Amino acid sequence: EEFVGDVVVVTVSLGVLKSKTIQFQPQLPDFKLGAIEKMGFGLMDKVVLRFPRVFWHSCANDLYLGTTDPTEQFRWWVNCHPICQEPILVCLVVSHFAHQIEDITLKSGDQVVVDRAMKVLRACFEKENVGLGGVPDPTNSYITKLNSSPYTRGSYGYVSVGSDGPAAFDDLAAPLADGHLRFAGEATYFDYQGCVHAAYESGIRESSLILQNLSDLALLS
């Protein structure tokens, strides 16, 4: 199916651009290709667990859990109960461990990862929940697989060794074809790189520039 417009805004992730699954005709200029190649694109996945009740410290926003097993990196948990009043914990896993988790889920299924995460939670909270029947099993679970997804291929852009720092973000954001081809997304906004509000701010930036260009054309006509 073909769509025709005066302006195209490319908002796919840097990971998708790196994968070269999108073919640009004509090809992107060297400065743009260089920015895509040199910028880093990291991985953060989430292990989301919903429980029948809250068994942790419900007032804490984040839980940082210690473990005697250095291979288990289920340490940083976000407590969603203060936000949505639901007994939900979200574990943030990053970098090499996130890649390992995705490999495990793809080969053996999500439950293997859920069981490993629960082992860490029980080691930290089982004693204080003995009178309540112990730490309960989760009623639902969900694990993101952002590196495996063809629509993301990772999570966030960052300044990597060998890149041009902030200039690389500017190169990725630079419009082409006299402003008819534009780029947005968190990897095009240096100030809040790696965050949702970077993507949001880049959308505001591009929409404002498009509206300004349309206003200028209307004045000329």
Side-chain angles (χ1 to χ4, degrees):
E1 189 172 358
E2 183 177 292
F3 297 91
V4 178
D6 294 326
V7 180
V8 173
V9 183
V10 178
T11 61
V12 298
S13 72
L14 175 60
V16 172
L17 292 175
K18 283 178 172 291
S19 71
K20 300 180 181 179
T21 53
I22 297 176
Q23 301 298 317
F24 291 88
Q25 296 180 351
Q27 180 175 290
L28 297 176
D30 289 343
F31 81 90
K32 182 81 71 175
L33 293 173
I36 293 170
E37 179 182 354
K38 291 179 181 179
M39 287 177 65
F41 200 60
L43 178 63
M44 173 185 283
D45 276 317
K46 300 176 179 68
V47 180
V48 184
L49 302 177
R50 182 189 180 109
F51 296 92
R53 63 176 176 84
V54 174
F55 59 83
W56 56 90
H57 308 139
S58 61
C59 294
N61 292 323
D62 297 307
L63 306 173
Y64 297 93
L65 307 182
T67 173
T68 57
D69 186 349
T71 65
E72 294 294 13
Q73 301 293 316
F74 301 101
R75 296 175 178 173
W76 181 12
W77 295 80
V78 177
N79 175 23
C80 295
H81 186 261
I83 302 169
C84 61
Q85 285 70 57
E86 296 289 345
I88 297 173
L89 287 175
V90 178
C91 185
L92 307 179
V93 293
V94 299
S95 191
H96 301 297
F97 188 62
H99 284 280
Q100 293 173 20
I101 292 301
E102 290 203 24
D103 289 341
I104 292 170
T105 59
L106 293 174
K107 293 176 182 177
S108 305
D110 289 6
Q111 191 59 46
V112 176
V113 174
V114 171
D115 291 343
R116 285 174 56 177
M118 286 304 302
K119 185 177 179 181
V120 173
L121 288 172
R122 287 195 165 102
C124 293
F125 295 107
E126 189 70 19
K127 288 185 179 179
E128 58 193 82
N129 282 272
V130 169
L132 299 173
V135 173
D137 290 329
T139 55
N140 297 95
S141 64
Y142 180 77
I143 301 174
T144 63
K145 303 173 184 68
L146 296 177
N147 186 64
S148 306
S149 170
Y151 303 110
T152 50
R153 297 297 186 192
S155 304
Y156 59 90
Y158 64 90
V159 178
S160 61
V161 175
S163 71
D164 297 326
F169 286 77
D170 292 338
D171 286 343
L172 190 58
L176 300 173
D178 296 325
H180 293 286
L181 178 60
R182 314 193 70 91
F183 293 81
E186 59 83 21
T188 70
Y189 203 90
F190 177 77
D191 288 347
Y192 303 118
Q193 57 184 283
C195 299
V196 172
H197 44 293
Y200 175 77
E201 291 288 347
S202 75
I204 292 177
R205 177 195 66 211
E206 294 306 317
S207 59
S208 298
L209 290 170
I210 291 170
L211 288 173
Q212 182 59 54
N213 288 341
L214 291 174
S215 298
D216 293 343
L217 289 173
L219 289 174
L220 290 174
S221 61

